[in-house]
Each structure stands twice: as C-alpha cells, then as structure tokens.
Amino acid sequence: MIVLGRIVAPFGVQGWVKIHPFGDDPLSWRRMPQWWLAADENASADAWRPLTLRACRAHGKALVAAFAEAGDRNAAEALQGMYVGAPREALPAPAEDEYYWHD
C-alpha cells in the first residue's frame, strides 16, 4: 500500500475531512474512485478499509474530501488520524516525465 496522506480533522458538518497530503500532486487522487484508510501506516494489506470517494478539492495546502460511507460530522470525526493509501495499481498514471517515489 502506498501511503498518500493522513486525515487531520473533520471539516464541516456533512462528513468532509481535512487531509494532510504527503505527495506533490494530491489533486490527482480525485481520479481514484476508491481510497483506502488504516489506523497504522504500516498496516497489512487486509487492514486497509476501502471507501468510496464522493468529492475532493484543494483547501490551502491541504485537501478536503468526502466519502459515501461518512455522511455526517460524527462519521468524519471517527476517521480523524487515519492514513490514506492506495495500492500501486490504483494510483493515477504519472505524466511521462514523472514517477512515483516509494521507500
């Protein structure tokens, strides 16, 4: 699993969350219809829970996103601190002169 960022706080009352991205082009994540969340960035593959992306936009240096499975602030609060990731094959293809860096 490639760790993309971390949910830092709920955002508003409709289930949105604020995300601190770890990469250079987090808006490209909008092309992934599903994101995966886990409490531990080193969790095994089966510990990552898939969520359906409803919307995503830039908010300063962060992102805000909404998931179909989290429809209100209480659900968003439960996601606080979770890591956002994706399997390598689910990531959007990089541009010709770009590549993904992974340790």
Side-chain angles (χ1 to χ4, degrees):
M1 192 67 64
I2 307 297
V3 179
L4 303 171
R6 189 167 192 191
I7 297 174
V8 294
F11 185 80
V13 296
Q14 297 181 343
W16 287 71
V17 293
K18 187 174 183 179
I19 300 167
H20 172 75
F22 297 157
D24 290 337
D25 187 18
L27 287 178
S28 69
W29 306 350
R30 292 186 292 193
R31 296 192 308 255
M32 297 187 307
Q34 195 170 52
W35 292 10
W36 289 259
L37 303 182
D40 180 2
E41 66 182 316
N42 296 312
S44 63
D46 60 334
W48 289 84
R49 179 174 67 143
L51 294 180
T52 307
L53 182 65
R54 193 165 35 106
C56 174
R57 67 177 191 259
H59 185 73
K61 293 184 178 183
L63 288 179
V64 291
F67 302 104
E69 295 83 357
D72 61 23
R73 185 167 179 95
N74 291 336
E77 288 174 349
L79 300 177
Q80 187 169 341
M82 301 289 275
Y83 287 91
V84 177
R88 184 177 300 277
E89 60 274 4
L91 292 171
E96 188 174 314
D97 59 341
E98 297 177 334
Y99 59 92
Y100 287 112
W101 180 266
H102 182 267
D103 290 335

